[in-house]
Amino acid sequence: MSTVSLDVVVSQGKNQVFSELNDEVVLLNLEKAQYFCLDSMGKVIWYKIAEPIPVAELVAQLCNSYNGPKDEIEKDVISFLSELEKLDCLWIE
């Protein structure tokens, strides 16, 4: 079960390395020896969570940068962060 919500602070996990490849970011989980590709929006979020940030602030920043309903952006961000959590690529404070 995901622990991601608007009330938590998140940052990049500690068990992976990453590299840019064209317009994507490739993550390599060192403990699981698995890799994952992030698309352009995933890349934006990945760099925004380089330092700890409240999820509510992350959503607000994305709403300021992109057109779209706030509730849809919020849902998509929480879903994406929840996937990162499942992959052990997210640190939650």
Side-chain angles (χ1 to χ4, degrees):
M1 175 179 228
S2 176
T3 57
V4 178
S5 71
L6 292 175
D7 302 324
V8 299
V9 175
V10 297
S11 61
Q12 295 173 353
K14 310 298 184 218
N15 299 323
Q16 77 283 320
V17 293
F18 64 94
S19 181
E20 283 194 48
L21 182 64
N22 299 321
D23 287 336
E24 298 179 331
V25 168
V26 178
L27 304 177
L28 173 62
N29 183 303
L30 299 172
E31 288 184 354
K32 295 183 177 183
Q34 294 177 319
Y35 70 92
F36 316 98
C37 295
L38 305 179
D39 63 12
S40 59
M41 182 51 71
K43 176 181 168 180
V44 169
I45 294 172
W46 182 252
Y47 285 117
K48 287 188 175 290
I49 65 171
E51 296 293 326
I53 183 172
V55 174
E57 175 61 26
L58 175 61
V59 169
Q61 287 181 15
L62 293 170
C63 286
N64 286 333
S65 299
Y66 298 95
N67 291 328
K70 181 182 179 191
D71 60 332
E72 188 173 316
I73 292 172
E74 180 179 304
K75 180 183 72 121
D76 290 345
V77 167
I78 289 175
S79 176
F80 176 74
L81 294 174
S82 295
E83 286 301 311
L84 287 180
E85 180 184 22
K86 287 178 194 172
L87 301 171
D88 294 328
C89 294
L90 185 71
W91 181 261
I92 299 176
E93 295 181 24

